Amino acid sequence: MSATVETRDTVETLTADKYKYGFTTDIAMEEFPKGLNEDIVRLISAKKNEPDWLLAWRLKAFALWRKLEEPAWAHITHPPISYDELYYYAAPSGPAPKSLEEVDPALLDMYEKLGIPLNERAALAGVAVDAVFDSVSVATTFRETLAKAGVIFCPISEAVREHPELVRKYLGSVVPIGDNFFAALNAAVFSDGSFVYIPKGVRCPMELSTYFRINARNTGQFERTLIIADEGASVSYLEGCTAPQRDENQLHAAVVELVALDEAKIKYSTVQNWYPGDAEGKGGIYNFVTKRGACRGRNSKISWTQVETGSAITWKYPSCVLQGDGSVGEFYSVALTHNHQQADTGTKMVHIGRNTTSTIISKGISAGHSNNTYRGLVKIMPNASGARNYTQCDSLLIGDQCGAHTVPYIESRNASAKVEHEATTSKIAEDQLFYCRSRGLSEEDAVGLIVNGFCKDVLKELPMEFAVEAQKLLAVSLEGSVG
Amino acid sequence: MLEIKNLSARIGDKDILRGVTLSVPDGEIHAIMGPNGAGKSTLSYVLSGREGYEVTGGEVIYNGQDILALTPEARAAAGMFLAFQYPVELPGVGNANFLRTALNAVRRARGEAELDAVAFLKLARAALKNLSMQDDMLKRNVNVGFSGGEKKRNEVLQMALLQPGLAILDETDSGLDIDALKIVAEGVNALRSPAFSALVITHYQRLLDYIVPDKVHVLAAGRIVRSGGPELALELEAHGYAGLEVA
């Protein structure tokens, strides 16, 4: 039935914290029974009319997941997650919309409010958006424009039906189903996400982006993104994330796989602003994400840029497997934690091909009672002659109740490799704050300015439109961190 | 008009200022001279509101307002400006961005319209030209990699843009060669007007050849021990500070 819908702003905008995306949207939802078992996996697969091979793939992943344990090595603590108390599928009820005109106006309003207009006339020029709401993709814009260039940009559930040969070839080829506990869980129950294919020699004519929104209560979000850049192709992709403000923790366990063939380039940028919990550490998203890119072809390049300000817990290591000779991996990261947030994030650069190069620039900012860990692995395999890595990890502390930790691992099995690592830890100095304030800046503006300066090397890697947004986000996320 | 009345202050349990009394009428430039350890820098920090300095007595009235209760940023909005002895580096923060943020913060506090990037650049370029400075000053990070002279010139540039009613120059001449000294002095002289006053804190007389003060005060052991006209600076230059503490 088509729901009578109204969007209701349930956020008390006057609450102490400034998370402005914390509202919920009232919309009729279809949810599967809570808990996880084979029947739920079958139900999700059936709901999406999936082919048998995919159901078998999911069931295999589910069987693997049951044997795996949550990883315990990260520098984070949280009460046990009750996987049986979660809902694994939630979607607006009714048949899936076939075009933007059929999308529930309440959803369009919600995205408008988040600053992501889905109406193509109002949309940010040059950016195509796939909007994922809880478990399903609700709209993808500019599909026709992209189709003219041969670019496929659609919900992954649709790609399974429309482009099975591509999905079957690449799904799970970068992050295998049994890769880790959360990746296995995702493989078993993923419900939607984005799919991108850029054909040979095509430079994607616009920025692609996916906007993830968790709305339903007690629901996990398990999206799966697969991006393939064929030979000589290039694409820039951005994801953004928000969630309502709730007292319970919510689980987000996504998988992102990137494949770059010969001479292909993928730039993947993330602005992660899931609800971080309140000042006492109540609520917030548990963000356990596996992101990995394979530079399969020679001279291919994968570049990850992330600005992580949200989530109660961030556990995430966007990595590059540099298989092709001359391939390039990059990781630019800003991770900001405040109040009781915990972040354990970094990257893995695995050099397999010859003359492969990687660059890691990580900026961690800790405030309040938070803990912020950089964890990185640079691995040079025996055949990776001439491999080079440069790593720079800088930590900035605000206040004296927070922690910054740097855990770099370097494994080199080729004597010709060059690996450099630089690390610094600093505090915002009192004289810097006083200098700014004596020029008329408030203490918070001064901190924002100094933090943005600290992150400049990473922020300049973001697409222009989002760099400004990210700067504001950093300042807002630090409100109340000084004084 | 700045009036300092019997101002005492300490750092930790060490008394530094022991009853400073001084007034600077609008339109006048006063110099404060004194030996090392007399409390010159402490006076400038107490006037501009730096944390860590405890005011134990007295008041500071600027334009009729007791400013000791104000935050540093509120004092800046009220028209006060401190040119630092050691300007601070802000890595990654572009000078233009810093200057515009500061200028707009002050303009906002004064109820004036903020400047957009274009209007700001026009203003900043004009100020640079007046001070014989290069445009690339705006592109560099705040004071990072600046020579001593460049840092001081950057202070003067900020002062020219923020248009304070009262400038406090804390040993702005230290570490400057004679050409840089002249540029800094010209920057201050250019602001001279009936609505502008300044406290020029210096150890040496040489800056006062270029910024001619209306009055000279000698600060020693936390008190003003002598006041006089510009000739007092010359006398100090000839005879030194010896014996002034007890005068």
Side-chain angles (χ1 to χ4, degrees), chain A residues 430-432 434-443 445 449 453 456, chain B residues 50 72-73 76 81-82 84 89 92-93 98 102 105 141 143 155 158:
Chain A
E430 184 273 333
D431 63 351
Q432 290 178 319
F434 175 62
Y435 189 65
C436 294
R437 295 179 73 190
S438 76
R439 299 299 180 251
L441 273 68
S442 69
E443 194 162 23
D445 286 349
L449 199 71
K456 192 178 179 184
Chain B
R50 186 166 195 162
E73 56 270 34
F81 179 90
L82 171 65
F84 280 55
E89 298 184 4
V93 180
F98 177 67
N141 290 338
N143 295 326
E155 295 292 286
Q158 294 176 30

PDB file of all heavy atoms in Angstrom, chain A residues 430-432 434-443 445 449 453 456, chain B residues 50 72-73 76 81-82 84 89 92-93 98 102 105 141 143 155 158:
ATOM      1  N   GLU A 430      49.197  26.738  22.918  1.00  0.00           N
ATOM      2  CA  GLU A 430      48.493  27.866  23.523  1.00  0.00           C
ATOM      3  C   GLU A 430      48.826  29.153  22.773  1.00  0.00           C
ATOM      4  O   GLU A 430      47.963  29.999  22.567  1.00  0.00           O
ATOM      5  CB  GLU A 430      48.893  27.958  25.007  1.00  0.00           C
ATOM      6  CG  GLU A 430      48.169  29.032  25.806  1.00  0.00           C
ATOM      7  CD  GLU A 430      48.850  30.405  25.736  1.00  0.00           C
ATOM      8  OE1 GLU A 430      50.084  30.466  25.525  1.00  0.00           O
ATOM      9  OE2 GLU A 430      48.130  31.407  25.877  1.00  0.00           O
ATOM     10  N   ASP A 431      50.083  29.288  22.329  1.00  0.00           N
ATOM     11  CA  ASP A 431      50.437  30.548  21.660  1.00  0.00           C
ATOM     12  C   ASP A 431      49.764  30.680  20.302  1.00  0.00           C
ATOM     13  O   ASP A 431      49.442  31.776  19.869  1.00  0.00           O
ATOM     14  CB  ASP A 431      51.970  30.750  21.578  1.00  0.00           C
ATOM     15  CG  ASP A 431      52.680  29.692  20.758  1.00  0.00           C
ATOM     16  OD1 ASP A 431      52.034  28.694  20.388  1.00  0.00           O
ATOM     17  OD2 ASP A 431      53.885  29.860  20.490  1.00  0.00           O
ATOM     18  N   GLN A 432      49.495  29.529  19.638  1.00  0.00           N
ATOM     19  CA  GLN A 432      48.755  29.599  18.365  1.00  0.00           C
ATOM     20  C   GLN A 432      47.325  30.085  18.603  1.00  0.00           C
ATOM     21  O   GLN A 432      46.808  30.920  17.871  1.00  0.00           O
ATOM     22  CB  GLN A 432      48.721  28.222  17.693  1.00  0.00           C
ATOM     23  CG  GLN A 432      50.070  27.774  17.166  1.00  0.00           C
ATOM     24  CD  GLN A 432      49.999  26.385  16.564  1.00  0.00           C
ATOM     25  OE1 GLN A 432      49.343  25.499  17.097  1.00  0.00           O
ATOM     26  NE2 GLN A 432      50.680  26.184  15.452  1.00  0.00           N
ATOM     27  N   PHE A 434      46.216  31.842  21.171  1.00  0.00           N
ATOM     28  CA  PHE A 434      46.204  33.231  21.617  1.00  0.00           C
ATOM     29  C   PHE A 434      46.456  34.179  20.443  1.00  0.00           C
ATOM     30  O   PHE A 434      45.824  35.226  20.319  1.00  0.00           O
ATOM     31  CB  PHE A 434      47.251  33.449  22.717  1.00  0.00           C
ATOM     32  CG  PHE A 434      47.376  34.883  23.138  1.00  0.00           C
ATOM     33  CD1 PHE A 434      46.293  35.559  23.699  1.00  0.00           C
ATOM     34  CD2 PHE A 434      48.560  35.581  22.945  1.00  0.00           C
ATOM     35  CE1 PHE A 434      46.396  36.897  24.061  1.00  0.00           C
ATOM     36  CE2 PHE A 434      48.664  36.919  23.305  1.00  0.00           C
ATOM     37  CZ  PHE A 434      47.582  37.573  23.866  1.00  0.00           C
ATOM     38  N   TYR A 435      47.367  33.763  19.568  1.00  0.00           N
ATOM     39  CA  TYR A 435      47.677  34.597  18.394  1.00  0.00           C
ATOM     40  C   TYR A 435      46.406  34.830  17.574  1.00  0.00           C
ATOM     41  O   TYR A 435      46.074  35.956  17.220  1.00  0.00           O
ATOM     42  CB  TYR A 435      48.736  33.891  17.556  1.00  0.00           C
ATOM     43  CG  TYR A 435      49.314  34.722  16.434  1.00  0.00           C
ATOM     44  CD1 TYR A 435      50.056  35.865  16.705  1.00  0.00           C
ATOM     45  CD2 TYR A 435      49.146  34.356  15.110  1.00  0.00           C
ATOM     46  CE1 TYR A 435      50.601  36.625  15.683  1.00  0.00           C
ATOM     47  CE2 TYR A 435      49.691  35.103  14.073  1.00  0.00           C
ATOM     48  CZ  TYR A 435      50.419  36.237  14.367  1.00  0.00           C
ATOM     49  OH  TYR A 435      50.962  36.989  13.354  1.00  0.00           O
ATOM     50  N   CYS A 436      45.659  33.749  17.304  1.00  0.00           N
ATOM     51  CA  CYS A 436      44.427  33.876  16.525  1.00  0.00           C
ATOM     52  C   CYS A 436      43.392  34.721  17.265  1.00  0.00           C
ATOM     53  O   CYS A 436      42.724  35.566  16.674  1.00  0.00           O
ATOM     54  CB  CYS A 436      43.833  32.494  16.229  1.00  0.00           C
ATOM     55  SG  CYS A 436      44.844  31.485  15.149  1.00  0.00           S
ATOM     56  N   ARG A 437      43.260  34.463  18.560  1.00  0.00           N
ATOM     57  CA  ARG A 437      42.223  35.188  19.315  1.00  0.00           C
ATOM     58  C   ARG A 437      42.555  36.671  19.419  1.00  0.00           C
ATOM     59  O   ARG A 437      41.668  37.520  19.372  1.00  0.00           O
ATOM     60  CB  ARG A 437      42.080  34.574  20.711  1.00  0.00           C
ATOM     61  CG  ARG A 437      41.554  33.142  20.660  1.00  0.00           C
ATOM     62  CD  ARG A 437      41.444  32.555  22.041  1.00  0.00           C
ATOM     63  NE  ARG A 437      40.324  33.141  22.777  1.00  0.00           N
ATOM     64  CZ  ARG A 437      40.122  32.938  24.078  1.00  0.00           C
ATOM     65  NH1 ARG A 437      40.953  32.197  24.772  1.00  0.00           N
ATOM     66  NH2 ARG A 437      39.088  33.473  24.666  1.00  0.00           N
ATOM     67  N   SER A 438      43.834  36.991  19.512  1.00  0.00           N
ATOM     68  CA  SER A 438      44.198  38.410  19.606  1.00  0.00           C
ATOM     69  C   SER A 438      43.910  39.131  18.286  1.00  0.00           C
ATOM     70  O   SER A 438      43.922  40.346  18.227  1.00  0.00           O
ATOM     71  CB  SER A 438      45.673  38.563  19.971  1.00  0.00           C
ATOM     72  OG  SER A 438      46.476  38.283  18.836  1.00  0.00           O
ATOM     73  N   ARG A 439      43.638  38.336  17.229  1.00  0.00           N
ATOM     74  CA  ARG A 439      43.255  38.933  15.942  1.00  0.00           C
ATOM     75  C   ARG A 439      41.744  38.955  15.768  1.00  0.00           C
ATOM     76  O   ARG A 439      41.247  39.253  14.688  1.00  0.00           O
ATOM     77  CB  ARG A 439      43.887  38.154  14.781  1.00  0.00           C
ATOM     78  CG  ARG A 439      45.401  38.143  14.789  1.00  0.00           C
ATOM     79  CD  ARG A 439      45.944  39.564  14.687  1.00  0.00           C
ATOM     80  NE  ARG A 439      47.397  39.585  14.700  1.00  0.00           N
ATOM     81  CZ  ARG A 439      48.124  40.030  15.712  1.00  0.00           C
ATOM     82  NH1 ARG A 439      47.527  40.468  16.815  1.00  0.00           N
ATOM     83  NH2 ARG A 439      49.438  40.049  15.637  1.00  0.00           N
ATOM     84  N   GLY A 440      41.022  38.519  16.818  1.00  0.00           N
ATOM     85  CA  GLY A 440      39.566  38.624  16.769  1.00  0.00           C
ATOM     86  C   GLY A 440      38.839  37.312  16.546  1.00  0.00           C
ATOM     87  O   GLY A 440      37.613  37.262  16.554  1.00  0.00           O
ATOM     88  N   LEU A 441      39.569  36.193  16.322  1.00  0.00           N
ATOM     89  CA  LEU A 441      38.900  34.914  16.102  1.00  0.00           C
ATOM     90  C   LEU A 441      38.444  34.315  17.437  1.00  0.00           C
ATOM     91  O   LEU A 441      39.179  34.377  18.420  1.00  0.00           O
ATOM     92  CB  LEU A 441      39.858  33.921  15.437  1.00  0.00           C
ATOM     93  CG  LEU A 441      39.942  33.935  13.923  1.00  0.00           C
ATOM     94  CD1 LEU A 441      40.581  35.215  13.429  1.00  0.00           C
ATOM     95  CD2 LEU A 441      40.745  32.744  13.447  1.00  0.00           C
ATOM     96  N   SER A 442      37.258  33.725  17.443  1.00  0.00           N
ATOM     97  CA  SER A 442      36.826  33.022  18.646  1.00  0.00           C
ATOM     98  C   SER A 442      37.710  31.796  18.822  1.00  0.00           C
ATOM     99  O   SER A 442      38.372  31.352  17.878  1.00  0.00           O
ATOM    100  CB  SER A 442      35.368  32.589  18.511  1.00  0.00           C
ATOM    101  OG  SER A 442      35.265  31.584  17.531  1.00  0.00           O
ATOM    102  N   GLU A 443      37.697  31.247  20.023  1.00  0.00           N
ATOM    103  CA  GLU A 443      38.544  30.090  20.286  1.00  0.00           C
ATOM    104  C   GLU A 443      38.185  28.934  19.340  1.00  0.00           C
ATOM    105  O   GLU A 443      39.051  28.251  18.806  1.00  0.00           O
ATOM    106  CB  GLU A 443      38.367  29.660  21.743  1.00  0.00           C
ATOM    107  CG  GLU A 443      39.434  28.705  22.194  1.00  0.00           C
ATOM    108  CD  GLU A 443      39.521  28.611  23.715  1.00  0.00           C
ATOM    109  OE1 GLU A 443      38.523  28.926  24.383  1.00  0.00           O
ATOM    110  OE2 GLU A 443      40.580  28.213  24.214  1.00  0.00           O
ATOM    111  N   ASP A 445      36.730  29.100  16.327  1.00  0.00           N
ATOM    112  CA  ASP A 445      37.172  29.405  14.957  1.00  0.00           C
ATOM    113  C   ASP A 445      38.677  29.209  14.827  1.00  0.00           C
ATOM    114  O   ASP A 445      39.167  28.752  13.796  1.00  0.00           O
ATOM    115  CB  ASP A 445      36.815  30.845  14.580  1.00  0.00           C
ATOM    116  CG  ASP A 445      35.324  31.006  14.314  1.00  0.00           C
ATOM    117  OD1 ASP A 445      34.631  29.964  14.224  1.00  0.00           O
ATOM    118  OD2 ASP A 445      34.854  32.152  14.223  1.00  0.00           O
ATOM    119  N   LEU A 449      40.479  26.696  12.268  1.00  0.00           N
ATOM    120  CA  LEU A 449      41.479  27.175  11.312  1.00  0.00           C
ATOM    121  C   LEU A 449      42.767  26.353  11.414  1.00  0.00           C
ATOM    122  O   LEU A 449      43.332  25.923  10.410  1.00  0.00           O
ATOM    123  CB  LEU A 449      41.770  28.647  11.618  1.00  0.00           C
ATOM    124  CG  LEU A 449      42.421  29.479  10.529  1.00  0.00           C
ATOM    125  CD1 LEU A 449      41.441  29.733   9.401  1.00  0.00           C
ATOM    126  CD2 LEU A 449      42.898  30.810  11.109  1.00  0.00           C
ATOM    127  N   GLY A 453      44.273  23.718   8.690  1.00  0.00           N
ATOM    128  CA  GLY A 453      45.645  23.869   8.206  1.00  0.00           C
ATOM    129  C   GLY A 453      46.406  22.561   8.334  1.00  0.00           C
ATOM    130  O   GLY A 453      47.108  22.139   7.418  1.00  0.00           O
ATOM    131  N   LYS A 456      45.420  20.171   5.562  1.00  0.00           N
ATOM    132  CA  LYS A 456      45.397  20.727   4.211  1.00  0.00           C
ATOM    133  C   LYS A 456      45.874  19.754   3.126  1.00  0.00           C
ATOM    134  O   LYS A 456      45.267  19.662   2.066  1.00  0.00           O
ATOM    135  CB  LYS A 456      46.278  21.970   4.209  1.00  0.00           C
ATOM    136  CG  LYS A 456      46.158  22.823   2.983  1.00  0.00           C
ATOM    137  CD  LYS A 456      47.072  24.006   3.201  1.00  0.00           C
ATOM    138  CE  LYS A 456      47.069  24.930   2.030  1.00  0.00           C
ATOM    139  NZ  LYS A 456      48.048  26.006   2.288  1.00  0.00           N
TER     140      LYS A 456
ATOM    141  N   ARG B  50      46.058  37.568  27.518  1.00  0.00           N
ATOM    142  CA  ARG B  50      46.603  36.217  27.421  1.00  0.00           C
ATOM    143  C   ARG B  50      46.388  35.442  28.719  1.00  0.00           C
ATOM    144  O   ARG B  50      46.489  36.002  29.811  1.00  0.00           O
ATOM    145  CB  ARG B  50      48.102  36.288  27.133  1.00  0.00           C
ATOM    146  CG  ARG B  50      48.712  34.934  26.871  1.00  0.00           C
ATOM    147  CD  ARG B  50      50.093  35.050  26.274  1.00  0.00           C
ATOM    148  NE  ARG B  50      50.483  33.759  25.721  1.00  0.00           N
ATOM    149  CZ  ARG B  50      51.458  33.599  24.838  1.00  0.00           C
ATOM    150  NH1 ARG B  50      52.130  34.629  24.404  1.00  0.00           N
ATOM    151  NH2 ARG B  50      51.756  32.401  24.374  1.00  0.00           N
ATOM    152  N   PRO B  72      40.329  37.763  24.737  1.00  0.00           N
ATOM    153  CA  PRO B  72      41.239  38.405  23.774  1.00  0.00           C
ATOM    154  C   PRO B  72      40.496  38.831  22.503  1.00  0.00           C
ATOM    155  O   PRO B  72      40.763  39.914  21.964  1.00  0.00           O
ATOM    156  CB  PRO B  72      42.263  37.312  23.469  1.00  0.00           C
ATOM    157  CG  PRO B  72      42.240  36.412  24.657  1.00  0.00           C
ATOM    158  CD  PRO B  72      40.835  36.449  25.182  1.00  0.00           C
ATOM    159  N   GLU B  73      39.566  37.966  22.020  1.00  0.00           N
ATOM    160  CA  GLU B  73      38.887  38.299  20.766  1.00  0.00           C
ATOM    161  C   GLU B  73      37.949  39.496  20.934  1.00  0.00           C
ATOM    162  O   GLU B  73      37.777  40.298  20.011  1.00  0.00           O
ATOM    163  CB  GLU B  73      38.165  37.088  20.175  1.00  0.00           C
ATOM    164  CG  GLU B  73      37.154  36.378  21.054  1.00  0.00           C
ATOM    165  CD  GLU B  73      37.763  35.244  21.882  1.00  0.00           C
ATOM    166  OE1 GLU B  73      38.939  35.358  22.297  1.00  0.00           O
ATOM    167  OE2 GLU B  73      37.049  34.245  22.126  1.00  0.00           O
ATOM    168  N   ALA B  76      40.046  42.517  20.719  1.00  0.00           N
ATOM    169  CA  ALA B  76      40.358  42.821  19.323  1.00  0.00           C
ATOM    170  C   ALA B  76      39.176  43.519  18.671  1.00  0.00           C
ATOM    171  O   ALA B  76      39.343  44.499  17.937  1.00  0.00           O
ATOM    172  CB  ALA B  76      40.706  41.531  18.573  1.00  0.00           C
ATOM    173  N   PHE B  81      44.960  45.941  19.338  1.00  0.00           N
ATOM    174  CA  PHE B  81      45.775  45.067  18.492  1.00  0.00           C
ATOM    175  C   PHE B  81      47.147  44.904  19.130  1.00  0.00           C
ATOM    176  O   PHE B  81      47.767  45.875  19.534  1.00  0.00           O
ATOM    177  CB  PHE B  81      45.946  45.690  17.101  1.00  0.00           C
ATOM    178  CG  PHE B  81      46.784  44.858  16.172  1.00  0.00           C
ATOM    179  CD1 PHE B  81      46.201  43.896  15.357  1.00  0.00           C
ATOM    180  CD2 PHE B  81      48.173  45.018  16.118  1.00  0.00           C
ATOM    181  CE1 PHE B  81      46.975  43.117  14.510  1.00  0.00           C
ATOM    182  CE2 PHE B  81      48.949  44.240  15.272  1.00  0.00           C
ATOM    183  CZ  PHE B  81      48.338  43.289  14.466  1.00  0.00           C
ATOM    184  N   LEU B  82      47.598  43.648  19.233  1.00  0.00           N
ATOM    185  CA  LEU B  82      48.937  43.389  19.754  1.00  0.00           C
ATOM    186  C   LEU B  82      49.837  42.906  18.620  1.00  0.00           C
ATOM    187  O   LEU B  82      49.556  41.875  17.999  1.00  0.00           O
ATOM    188  CB  LEU B  82      48.876  42.317  20.856  1.00  0.00           C
ATOM    189  CG  LEU B  82      50.234  41.790  21.349  1.00  0.00           C
ATOM    190  CD1 LEU B  82      51.042  42.887  22.029  1.00  0.00           C
ATOM    191  CD2 LEU B  82      50.044  40.610  22.311  1.00  0.00           C
ATOM    192  N   PHE B  84      53.047  41.078  17.892  1.00  0.00           N
ATOM    193  CA  PHE B  84      53.822  40.166  18.723  1.00  0.00           C
ATOM    194  C   PHE B  84      55.330  40.363  18.583  1.00  0.00           C
ATOM    195  O   PHE B  84      55.830  40.643  17.497  1.00  0.00           O
ATOM    196  CB  PHE B  84      53.499  38.714  18.350  1.00  0.00           C
ATOM    197  CG  PHE B  84      52.218  38.191  18.942  1.00  0.00           C
ATOM    198  CD1 PHE B  84      51.020  38.861  18.742  1.00  0.00           C
ATOM    199  CD2 PHE B  84      52.206  37.025  19.692  1.00  0.00           C
ATOM    200  CE1 PHE B  84      49.832  38.380  19.276  1.00  0.00           C
ATOM    201  CE2 PHE B  84      51.030  36.531  20.228  1.00  0.00           C
ATOM    202  CZ  PHE B  84      49.840  37.209  20.023  1.00  0.00           C
ATOM    203  N   GLU B  89      53.762  30.782  14.200  1.00  0.00           N
ATOM    204  CA  GLU B  89      53.560  30.093  12.921  1.00  0.00           C
ATOM    205  C   GLU B  89      52.288  29.249  12.949  1.00  0.00           C
ATOM    206  O   GLU B  89      52.004  28.593  13.948  1.00  0.00           O
ATOM    207  CB  GLU B  89      54.757  29.175  12.621  1.00  0.00           C
ATOM    208  CG  GLU B  89      56.053  29.951  12.473  1.00  0.00           C
ATOM    209  CD  GLU B  89      57.227  29.067  12.091  1.00  0.00           C
ATOM    210  OE1 GLU B  89      57.020  27.853  11.874  1.00  0.00           O
ATOM    211  OE2 GLU B  89      58.344  29.605  12.001  1.00  0.00           O
ATOM    212  N   GLY B  92      50.049  25.284   7.388  1.00  0.00           N
ATOM    213  CA  GLY B  92      48.907  24.904   6.558  1.00  0.00           C
ATOM    214  C   GLY B  92      47.828  25.965   6.454  1.00  0.00           C
ATOM    215  O   GLY B  92      46.885  25.813   5.687  1.00  0.00           O
ATOM    216  N   VAL B  93      47.941  27.040   7.243  1.00  0.00           N
ATOM    217  CA  VAL B  93      46.921  28.095   7.195  1.00  0.00           C
ATOM    218  C   VAL B  93      47.429  29.220   6.300  1.00  0.00           C
ATOM    219  O   VAL B  93      48.432  29.860   6.611  1.00  0.00           O
ATOM    220  CB  VAL B  93      46.630  28.657   8.607  1.00  0.00           C
ATOM    221  CG1 VAL B  93      45.573  29.747   8.548  1.00  0.00           C
ATOM    222  CG2 VAL B  93      46.202  27.533   9.544  1.00  0.00           C
ATOM    223  N   PHE B  98      43.767  33.512   6.690  1.00  0.00           N
ATOM    224  CA  PHE B  98      43.867  33.943   8.082  1.00  0.00           C
ATOM    225  C   PHE B  98      43.454  35.411   8.230  1.00  0.00           C
ATOM    226  O   PHE B  98      42.649  35.766   9.085  1.00  0.00           O
ATOM    227  CB  PHE B  98      45.307  33.753   8.569  1.00  0.00           C
ATOM    228  CG  PHE B  98      45.562  34.234   9.965  1.00  0.00           C
ATOM    229  CD1 PHE B  98      44.978  33.597  11.045  1.00  0.00           C
ATOM    230  CD2 PHE B  98      46.371  35.331  10.205  1.00  0.00           C
ATOM    231  CE1 PHE B  98      45.207  34.044  12.345  1.00  0.00           C
ATOM    232  CE2 PHE B  98      46.608  35.782  11.494  1.00  0.00           C
ATOM    233  CZ  PHE B  98      46.018  35.133  12.568  1.00  0.00           C
ATOM    234  N   ALA B 102      40.184  36.794  10.185  1.00  0.00           N
ATOM    235  CA  ALA B 102      40.346  37.724  11.307  1.00  0.00           C
ATOM    236  C   ALA B 102      39.585  39.022  11.043  1.00  0.00           C
ATOM    237  O   ALA B 102      38.827  39.503  11.894  1.00  0.00           O
ATOM    238  CB  ALA B 102      41.832  38.011  11.517  1.00  0.00           C
ATOM    239  N   ALA B 105      35.903  38.467  11.327  1.00  0.00           N
ATOM    240  CA  ALA B 105      35.483  38.248  12.718  1.00  0.00           C
ATOM    241  C   ALA B 105      35.344  39.601  13.416  1.00  0.00           C
ATOM    242  O   ALA B 105      34.363  39.865  14.120  1.00  0.00           O
ATOM    243  CB  ALA B 105      36.494  37.365  13.445  1.00  0.00           C
ATOM    244  N   ASN B 141      51.962  30.339   4.036  1.00  0.00           N
ATOM    245  CA  ASN B 141      51.321  29.991   5.300  1.00  0.00           C
ATOM    246  C   ASN B 141      51.744  30.973   6.382  1.00  0.00           C
ATOM    247  O   ASN B 141      52.866  31.471   6.364  1.00  0.00           O
ATOM    248  CB  ASN B 141      51.688  28.562   5.708  1.00  0.00           C
ATOM    249  CG  ASN B 141      51.045  27.539   4.791  1.00  0.00           C
ATOM    250  OD1 ASN B 141      50.039  27.828   4.132  1.00  0.00           O
ATOM    251  ND2 ASN B 141      51.609  26.348   4.742  1.00  0.00           N
ATOM    252  N   ASN B 143      53.304  33.011   8.708  1.00  0.00           N
ATOM    253  CA  ASN B 143      54.621  33.109   9.360  1.00  0.00           C
ATOM    254  C   ASN B 143      55.524  31.888   9.180  1.00  0.00           C
ATOM    255  O   ASN B 143      56.641  31.875   9.688  1.00  0.00           O
ATOM    256  CB  ASN B 143      54.470  33.402  10.866  1.00  0.00           C
ATOM    257  CG  ASN B 143      53.844  34.765  11.116  1.00  0.00           C
ATOM    258  OD1 ASN B 143      54.076  35.691  10.353  1.00  0.00           O
ATOM    259  ND2 ASN B 143      53.037  34.875  12.154  1.00  0.00           N
ATOM    260  N   GLU B 155      53.047  41.341  10.771  1.00  0.00           N
ATOM    261  CA  GLU B 155      52.300  41.927  11.884  1.00  0.00           C
ATOM    262  C   GLU B 155      51.757  43.301  11.498  1.00  0.00           C
ATOM    263  O   GLU B 155      50.611  43.639  11.787  1.00  0.00           O
ATOM    264  CB  GLU B 155      53.198  42.071  13.126  1.00  0.00           C
ATOM    265  CG  GLU B 155      53.679  40.756  13.711  1.00  0.00           C
ATOM    266  CD  GLU B 155      52.562  39.945  14.319  1.00  0.00           C
ATOM    267  OE1 GLU B 155      52.067  40.293  15.405  1.00  0.00           O
ATOM    268  OE2 GLU B 155      52.168  38.950  13.666  1.00  0.00           O
ATOM    269  N   GLN B 158      48.853  42.983   9.142  1.00  0.00           N
ATOM    270  CA  GLN B 158      47.618  42.659   9.869  1.00  0.00           C
ATOM    271  C   GLN B 158      47.049  43.898  10.539  1.00  0.00           C
ATOM    272  O   GLN B 158      45.841  44.139  10.521  1.00  0.00           O
ATOM    273  CB  GLN B 158      47.888  41.586  10.928  1.00  0.00           C
ATOM    274  CG  GLN B 158      48.267  40.239  10.333  1.00  0.00           C
ATOM    275  CD  GLN B 158      48.629  39.218  11.399  1.00  0.00           C
ATOM    276  OE1 GLN B 158      48.110  39.273  12.500  1.00  0.00           O
ATOM    277  NE2 GLN B 158      49.519  38.306  11.070  1.00  0.00           N
TER     278      GLN B 158
END
